[in-house]
Amino acid sequence: LLVVHFWAPWAPQCAQMNEVMAELAKELPQVSFVKLEAEGVPEVSEKYEISSVPTFLFFKNSQKIDRLDGAHAPELTKKVQRHASSGSFPPSANEHLKEDLNLRLKKLTHAAPCMLFMKGTPQEPRCGFSKQMVEILHKHNVQFSSFDIFSDEEVRQGLKAYSNWPTYPQLYVSGELIGGLDIIKELEASEELDTICPKAPKLEERLKVLTNKASVMLFMKGNKQVLHFDLTVFPVKMSSLFCSVEYETFDILEDEEVRQGLKAYSNWPTYPQLYVKGELVGGLDIVKELKENGELLPILRGEN
């Protein structure tokens, strides 16, 4: 196993990771560790797509087998130990591994109607091209899921061969490659992008679907299993008030768009909110009044 550290003298995190490498070299004498100043070998850095430091490449039998971007000491230790303990595979095993990888890539590209393979996440893109792609998709209200190729070197390299496309980001619709940033820009310019990519539902449509997700829906801070601080009294009361009627919950703390949007949608400014068959019943005080008046159970059962 050979571990190559692409580093820069001006980056303090690189110096820290050099110390980690020195300790690993003592523990694992069978592993070779090499430091390369990234800016001193531009051709090599370009070949291996080194865009930030520190970056670590892992080689075995002259083949690159893994990659780690960033100063993550625990992850570096884990990867070095794992690769140092694993042996080489015979040719027949390599064929099986390739088949398994292709199957995994097929599942990943079909994981959502629109899949973006990018460097980083939509919230924190780690390259300019990925950032531009996300901005275009958001601008056109495209509903998409993403996969951070920095999180899995096998996927990062395998997808290039699988799709016969050498760079990232890559956009897939229904498992089929649409292309990279330049192609998406062309589709945007020709106004074809809106016809190819699935649209995210408008907030009002989404709220209508959510409030009708179950016959009895409770929008709350937390859920049946995890209750938040200002609901210490409410869930116990609500559970007893429900009279054993089945209900579903939605945690508004997990979706700020829903949390704010539902207030306007229902014209009700606070939480929790109880809905029956998509219609707002009210909050805790109203539910308590209905219980005391004997009206709650018929409402929950949809009889009134």
Side-chain angles (χ1 to χ4, degrees), residues 13 38 66 100 105 124 167 196 202 224 233 238 251 269 297:
Q13 60 268 40
D66 206 347
D100 291 342
L105 294 174
E124 295 184 6
T167 59
I196 293 174
K202 292 181 180 178
K224 291 180 183 179
V233 179
M238 184 61 84
D251 184 357
L297 188 55

Side-chain angles (χ1 to χ4, degrees), residues 9 20 103 152 200 237 259:
V20 175
L103 182 61
D152 194 313
K237 288 185 176 179
R259 180 180 186 174

Side-chain angles (χ1 to χ4, degrees), residues 128-151:
F129 295 141
S130 292
K131 183 180 180 182
Q132 288 182 59
M133 178 77 87
V134 169
E135 288 172 350
I136 291 172
L137 296 180
H138 282 160
K139 175 183 172 184
H140 288 264
N141 196 33
V142 174
Q143 186 174 26
F144 68 97
S145 296
S146 66
F147 185 93
D148 181 2
I149 58 164
F150 281 151
S151 68

Side-chain angles (χ1 to χ4, degrees), residues 215-217 238 242 266 268 272-288 290-291 295-296 299-300 304:
S215 295
V216 180
M217 277 294 298
M238 184 61 84
F242 275 7
S266 62
W268 194 271
Q273 294 183 17
L274 177 67
Y275 289 76
V276 175
K277 294 186 176 179
E279 296 293 327
L280 175 69
V281 176
L284 178 59
D285 290 340
I286 287 181
V287 172
K288 285 167 68 177
L290 292 171
K291 172 69 173 178
E295 300 176 65
L296 181 61
I299 288 176
L300 294 176
N304 183 359

Side-chain angles (χ1 to χ4, degrees), residues 223-265:
N223 53 50
K224 291 180 183 179
Q225 292 75 34
V226 181
L227 311 171
H228 289 270
F229 66 96
D230 56 347
L231 292 178
T232 51
V233 179
F234 170 78
V236 177
K237 288 185 176 179
M238 184 61 84
S239 298
S240 60
L241 293 172
F242 275 7
C243 313
S244 302
V245 173
E246 288 293 319
Y247 68 100
E248 295 294 329
T249 60
F250 184 93
D251 184 357
I252 58 164
L253 296 180
E254 293 188 351
D255 195 316
E256 187 64 20
E257 185 181 47
V258 170
R259 180 180 186 174
Q260 301 304 329
L262 196 61
K263 293 177 184 179
Y265 179 83

Side-chain angles (χ1 to χ4, degrees), residues 47-221:
K47 177 182 178 182
Y48 290 104
E49 299 179 352
I50 307 300
S51 56
S52 62
V53 291
T55 294
F56 298 87
L57 299 184
F58 299 76
F59 294 85
K60 189 173 280 190
N61 298 330
S62 301
Q63 296 293 318
K64 182 158 72 72
I65 58 170
D66 206 347
R67 177 187 183 114
L68 175 64
D69 292 82
H72 308 293
E75 187 66 19
L76 175 64
T77 302
K78 187 165 63 175
K79 283 180 178 287
V80 170
Q81 291 174 341
R82 185 175 77 245
H83 291 306
S85 62
S86 63
S88 301
F89 294 101
S92 58
N94 281 329
E95 289 301 317
H96 288 300
L97 287 173
K98 188 174 181 180
E99 289 175 14
D100 291 342
L101 176 59
N102 284 340
L103 182 61
R104 186 179 171 216
L105 294 174
K106 184 176 181 180
K107 287 181 179 178
L108 281 173
T109 54
H110 285 82
C114 185
M115 278 295 297
L116 175 63
F117 292 81
M118 61 180 292
K119 295 179 179 179
T121 64
Q123 295 75 29
E124 295 184 6
R126 293 179 62 183
C127 82
F129 295 141
S130 292
K131 183 180 180 182
Q132 288 182 59
M133 178 77 87
V134 169
E135 288 172 350
I136 291 172
L137 296 180
H138 282 160
K139 175 183 172 184
H140 288 264
N141 196 33
V142 174
Q143 186 174 26
F144 68 97
S145 296
S146 66
F147 185 93
D148 181 2
I149 58 164
F150 281 151
S151 68
D152 194 313
E153 184 65 14
E154 186 181 44
V155 170
R156 179 180 185 174
Q157 300 304 328
L159 195 60
K160 293 178 183 179
Y162 178 85
S163 62
N164 195 27
W165 195 270
T167 59
Y168 290 99
Q170 296 181 13
L171 186 69
Y172 291 75
V173 172
S174 300
E176 295 294 326
L177 175 68
I178 303 302
L181 180 61
D182 289 341
I183 298 291
I184 299 307
K185 284 182 173 179
E186 289 176 12
L187 291 172
E188 181 186 32
S190 64
E191 299 183 353
E192 295 177 78
L193 185 63
D194 291 328
T195 64
I196 293 174
C197 297
K199 292 287 187 180
K202 292 181 180 178
L203 179 58
E204 188 172 343
E205 295 172 2
R206 188 176 171 218
L207 293 174
K208 185 175 181 180
V209 170
L210 282 173
T211 53
N212 285 276
K213 186 179 178 182
S215 295
V216 180
M217 277 294 298
L218 177 61
F219 291 81
M220 60 186 286
K221 295 177 181 178

